[in-house]
Amino acid sequence: MTQGSIIWREANAFLETLYVETYGDYVPATLEINGTVHHPKSVADVVRLHVEDTPVLGGWIAVYRMFISNLPNFSSYATIVSPIIRATIANAIIGTDCRLSAIVARLGRGETLQMAVRELAEPIRISTARKDGVVWQRSIKGFAQGLEWLTGLEALYPTPAAWVGEQIGEQTRGAVQGERMWAFAETIFNRRGKAKLTLMGEAITVNFLKDMGLLPFVKPDTFTMRIIGALHGETNEKGTFLEMIRCANDADIWPRAFDRALWLIGSGKFHYLPDDIYRNAAGKGEARIAAFAARVGSSGPTPDDNPPPPTVQP
């Protein structure tokens, strides 16, 4: 089994090569990522900033925005309820309120809340000329359910950080407890009956937690599952999740950064670059993944990976 430190090393080298093939030696004067302006000095800096992209865990309103952003973010749903549409819907629901409880007090609960959210989103749907009713209905239902769920948490915990801390404790880079992270995610995607959150399956749940700014989380998506499958044979979501965390621990990095590196290899999207410069890397993700897996397979350890045994004194 390939060491995580080798995969991490080769991923960064592969991404630097991919960047140069796509953009040459272009280094932007500034890169704004999650509200922070950076000043990269080299191609390696640009790659590092994309890989280490980490949002700051904010308050409950910010977490609800992230919930809406993540919920329909898969397959055909993402093309129908696009990121821009999701952001517009979030603005319409939240308005000027500073607490989730104030939104619920304004809009109602249960089916009343779903109807209110639907009324707010309907003009947005009409403006897109979309007629994909099932997708919209499930998305709207999920937005309303998520608002009630997070409002309940807001009543119990002063901040999202307090909620997360109770669930996963204090995690350390290089020693993240993968099973404990998965168990936390299970409390969300395994909700049943009236407490069930529409569309919140395993992958969307862990991506939501990752995008909230939780460094110990990864998302087993199309790209990361193919890479881990090619390298280590894992083919299911939980297995990929745990294996990515194991690799990140071996490399002594946060799992979220490991996830970002593998995702960038598959997607080829250095999306923080200026709009007039940005373009997808050439070729298909499958080809890049195969090339990366081959590179890792032919790579040897660094001297530090296998230190020589200590000399035995006679």
Side-chain angles (χ1 to χ4, degrees):
M1 182 175 291
T2 309
Q3 294 175 340
S5 56
I6 295 176
I7 298 173
W8 174 246
R9 181 192 71 202
E10 295 302 326
N12 281 278
F14 188 94
L15 286 171
E16 288 185 30
T17 300
L18 181 64
Y19 182 92
V20 170
E21 290 174 351
T22 308
Y23 298 102
D25 59 359
Y26 169 74
V27 176
T30 61
L31 275 182
E32 183 172 349
I33 301 176
N34 297 316
T36 300
V37 177
H38 301 271
H39 301 275
K41 302 298 183 184
S42 64
V43 166
D45 275 353
V46 177
V47 171
R48 176 182 58 79
L49 288 168
H50 277 79
V51 169
E52 295 179 357
D53 148 37
T54 302
V56 176
L57 178 59
W60 288 111
I61 291 287
V63 168
Y64 182 54
R65 285 187 184 277
M66 188 57 65
F67 180 89
I68 290 178
S69 175
N70 270 268
L71 195 61
N73 193 24
F74 61 92
S75 63
S76 60
Y77 278 57
T79 61
I80 295 169
V81 191
S82 70
I84 292 176
I85 292 173
R86 283 174 247 155
T88 304
I89 291 174
N91 289 336
I93 295 171
I94 294 168
T96 59
D97 289 319
C98 298
R99 289 182 59 81
L100 299 181
S101 56
I103 301 172
V104 171
R106 170 166 51 86
L107 298 180
R109 291 185 176 275
E111 292 187 8
T112 300
L113 177 57
Q114 288 188 32
M115 291 176 61
V117 171
R118 184 174 293 109
E119 288 178 3
L120 290 169
E122 187 64 10
I124 300 168
R125 182 191 70 81
I126 292 173
S127 70
T128 67
R130 291 286 187 179
K131 297 181 179 179
D132 307 86
V134 173
V135 171
W136 275 93
Q137 289 171 18
R138 298 195 73 202
S139 298
I140 295 306
K141 184 178 182 180
F143 296 156
Q145 290 171 334
L147 178 55
E148 285 207 85
W149 168 56
L150 292 172
T151 300
L153 290 174
E154 181 189 62
L156 297 173
Y157 301 95
T159 64
W163 166 54
V164 171
E166 182 177 290
Q167 298 295 320
I168 68 173
E170 186 174 346
Q171 297 295 310
T172 304
R173 189 187 71 186
V176 171
Q177 301 165 291
E179 289 284 359
R180 187 170 183 181
M181 301 308 102
W182 187 260
F184 176 33
E186 281 185 321
T187 66
I188 300 172
F189 66 71
N190 271 346
R191 293 164 64 92
R192 293 292 181 262
K194 292 183 178 180
K196 181 176 175 60
L197 297 170
T198 299
L199 301 180
M200 286 293 280
E202 295 176 357
I204 294 298
T205 296
V206 292
N207 193 61
F208 164 60
L209 295 170
K210 174 178 71 73
D211 283 357
M212 277 172 52
L214 304 187
L215 298 173
F217 281 85
V218 299
K219 179 192 178 185
D221 67 3
T222 301
F223 298 130
T224 58
M225 289 183 72
R226 285 177 178 171
I227 292 175
I228 295 300
L231 295 175
H232 292 167
E234 292 292 348
T235 58
N236 63 59
E237 291 178 334
K238 182 179 180 180
T240 300
F241 179 90
L242 295 176
E243 183 60 17
M244 289 173 70
I245 292 178
R246 186 199 67 78
C247 288
N249 284 342
D250 180 70
D252 193 26
I253 58 170
W254 284 110
R256 191 182 193 283
F258 188 82
D259 173 287
R260 286 283 298 170
L262 298 195
W263 180 84
L264 279 167
I265 289 170
S267 70
K269 296 180 178 180
F270 294 93
H271 53 88
Y272 288 117
L273 294 176
D275 290 343
D276 58 340
I277 296 295
Y278 171 79
R279 58 185 177 275
N280 285 355
K284 294 185 177 181
E286 292 90 337
R288 286 192 295 273
I289 289 169
F292 175 66
R295 176 177 180 140
V296 172
S298 63
S299 175
T302 62
D304 290 338
D305 289 329
N306 287 313
T311 302
V312 178
Q313 298 296 329

